Amino acid sequence: MVVVPLKPQEGNVSHVSVEQSSLDLTILMPCLNEAETIEVCVRKAMTWLASSGLSGEVLVADNGSRDGSQGMAEALGARVVAVPEKGYGAALIGGIRAARGKYVIMGDADDSYDFSKLDAFVERLQDGAELVMGNRFKGGIEKGAMPPLHYWLGNPVLSFIGRLLFNIPVGDFHCGLRGFNRDSILGLGLKSPGMEFASEMVVKASLAKLSMEEVPTTLRPDGRTRAPHLRTWRDGWRHLKFLMLHSPKWVFIYPGLLLLALGLFGSILLAPGAVALTPTIEIDIHSLVVACFSVMIGTQLVMFGALARRYAMIEGVLPTPSNFRTILLGMELEPILRVAALILIAGLIGVTTAVVRWVGNGFGPIVYNDVMRMLVISLTAVAVAVQIAAAGFLASMLNIRR
């Protein structure tokens, strides 16, 4: 079935109306000045669609082309929707909202993906998968199709980080050819306007527990003579930043717990006095200072992680983990302040004791094995108490409704 092209919609992507699904499939292509390749992409997609037995459409989400790409696509039977908000993600969000298919297969309009070979995507979608990712490393990357830096570093490293942080069984986070159930993806509330949209879709699909599968996909050199829109370092950082901002447990909590554990171990070990590691190597007050700094930094990171997770859940950015729901959302300010007060009192008692001993020594030189050791540990307790209390107040402020 070929859909009659409609007049391009005007307005910001946020105002692109959400179409009701009335077709089986939409083949979606984001487009920005793709006059060199848009025709071959649309032609392949239309030919495959006609032979597939599915009712469907080819939809071009145009991001402000000035080279006549829109007219070329429409002349071949594609429907074009205008998305004024700039960016790869913005174009795709507008296209997904405007799509009429139950399923959507998206792919770049630069002829690097073969739109005449989409059967595997449709089969997985019809079998119940909600997101089907292409995997270029399994399907093959032709010579010259991907810069060496992307092939050996960018894509493997970012995909590995994504799998580590979110436990997602996807080998190629950034493949531009992917299919999905339109309603499931709309329900994720995707917002990233730039290239990091590719990561956002996978991460939020995983957090929402959508069923995901992969199919081998071949990547070929694109058919353009101009430089690609992708900027290696800028867009790579945007992907990495997105992954980190959506994983406070790896950015804050796990490193914080590690530092806290090491610091507490060192502090307890060195509190009584120096420790001889070998007959010639001894650790003493200076190592205790390092251990106490580790306790303070670890505490701060754990507090940051808890606050970030709480904020993300309140705002609906991240789902609530059932095993930490009571801790992150149920804790009130008063219990937090009671814990902070106990630590503070212990610290102040230690500080007072150290000062009294110093006074008893006639304000003379501070003895490391006596006054200084107690003072370092006690001041660390005071600092940790202040950190916990401040975090408690900030956590309560996050609950204040506008």
Side-chain angles (χ1 to χ4, degrees):
M1 171 179 173
V2 177
V3 177
V4 177
L6 298 182
K7 182 179 179 180
Q9 300 181 34
E10 301 297 334
N12 190 280
V13 64
S14 61
H15 298 128
V16 175
S17 60
V18 178
E19 295 283 353
Q20 295 294 321
S21 299
S22 57
L23 303 172
D24 294 327
L25 178 68
T26 293
I27 301 175
L28 172 61
M29 304 176 193
C31 176
L32 175 59
N33 297 323
E34 303 290 4
E36 292 181 294
T37 54
I38 190 67
E39 289 181 312
V40 66
C41 291
V42 171
R43 190 176 292 111
K44 286 182 179 180
M46 295 291 288
T47 301
W48 178 86
L49 194 57
S51 64
S52 68
L54 300 171
S55 62
E57 63 174 349
V58 175
L59 177 63
V60 173
D62 186 70
N63 213 200
S65 297
R66 297 181 179 180
D67 61 356
S69 298
Q70 307 94 321
M72 295 178 181
E74 289 180 324
L76 292 172
R79 182 163 67 99
V80 177
V81 58
V83 184
E85 183 180 349
K86 298 301 181 184
Y88 172 79
L92 285 169
I93 292 170
I96 294 169
R97 290 174 62 86
R100 295 172 176 170
K102 176 182 178 181
Y103 305 118
V104 176
I105 296 178
M106 57 173 258
D108 300 337
D110 59 4
D111 198 29
S112 57
Y113 297 108
D114 191 349
F115 287 103
S116 66
K117 297 179 180 178
L118 304 178
D119 300 82
F121 288 90
V122 173
E123 290 172 5
R124 300 297 195 285
L125 290 170
Q126 290 179 332
D127 287 340
E130 293 172 283
L131 175 60
V132 182
M133 296 289 300
N135 189 317
R136 299 165 293 183
F137 296 94
K138 290 183 178 179
I141 300 175
E142 296 184 5
K143 184 177 180 180
M146 184 182 292
L149 184 62
H150 297 185
Y151 184 89
W152 295 107
L153 182 64
N155 280 294
V157 169
L158 289 174
S159 294
F160 169 77
I161 293 174
R163 290 194 299 271
L164 175 66
L165 299 187
F166 302 98
N167 193 30
I168 302 174
V170 170
D172 186 2
F173 260 52
H174 307 107
C175 182
L177 187 62
R178 55 185 73 179
F180 46 86
N181 182 298
R182 176 175 174 271
D183 289 341
S184 298
I185 296 301
L186 281 175
L188 300 178
L190 304 179
K191 294 182 173 66
S192 297
M195 291 291 182
E196 70 275 18
F197 174 85
S199 292
E200 182 186 19
M201 179 184 287
V202 181
V203 168
K204 289 191 174 179
S206 174
L207 294 175
K209 301 189 183 306
L210 301 188
S211 58
M212 280 187 280
E213 294 189 26
E214 278 190 314
V215 296
T217 298
T218 301
L219 181 69
R220 305 180 305 176
D222 65 59
R224 301 172 299 194
T225 58
R226 61 168 176 79
H229 298 301
L230 179 68
R231 296 293 179 266
T232 299
W233 296 107
R234 180 199 65 184
D235 293 319
W237 164 243
R238 291 175 72 167
H239 281 286
L240 179 59
K241 181 175 70 173
F242 179 89
L243 295 175
M244 294 174 67
L245 290 178
H246 284 74
S247 184
K249 64 182 181 181
W250 280 98
V251 174
F252 296 118
I253 296 177
Y254 291 163
L257 288 175
L258 178 61
L259 287 173
L260 187 57
L262 292 174
L264 287 173
F265 174 77
S267 300
I268 293 171
L269 180 67
L270 294 168
V275 174
L277 299 180
T278 70
T280 58
I281 299 177
E282 183 181 80
I283 56 175
D284 198 355
I285 187 69
H286 302 94
S287 298
L288 177 62
V289 171
V290 173
C292 288
F293 267 93
S294 180
V295 169
M296 289 188 289
I297 295 172
T299 300
Q300 190 70 75
L301 288 176
V302 171
M303 293 297 100
F304 278 175
L307 290 169
R309 198 69 174 86
R310 183 164 178 154
Y311 171 79
M313 289 185 295
I314 291 173
E315 294 298 320
V317 177
L318 296 175
T320 303
S322 57
N323 51 338
F324 289 112
R325 181 179 181 87
T326 301
I327 297 175
L328 293 174
L329 294 180
M331 288 296 290
E332 299 295 334
L333 176 60
E334 289 76 11
I336 295 175
L337 291 180
R338 282 195 286 269
V339 172
L342 290 175
I343 298 174
L344 178 63
I345 291 171
L348 291 177
I349 290 174
V351 170
T352 302
T353 303
V355 172
V356 168
R357 290 182 180 179
W358 184 39
V359 172
N361 194 31
F363 295 101
I366 296 177
V367 180
Y368 271 26
N369 285 333
D370 184 18
V371 176
M372 181 60 75
R373 193 177 302 276
M374 179 173 291
L375 189 61
V376 168
I377 295 175
S378 300
L379 288 176
T380 299
V382 171
V384 168
V386 172
Q387 288 176 321
I388 294 174
F393 274 105
L394 183 54
S396 296
M397 290 177 183
L398 295 179
N399 283 336
I400 298 175
R401 289 311 192 195
R402 291 175 296 219

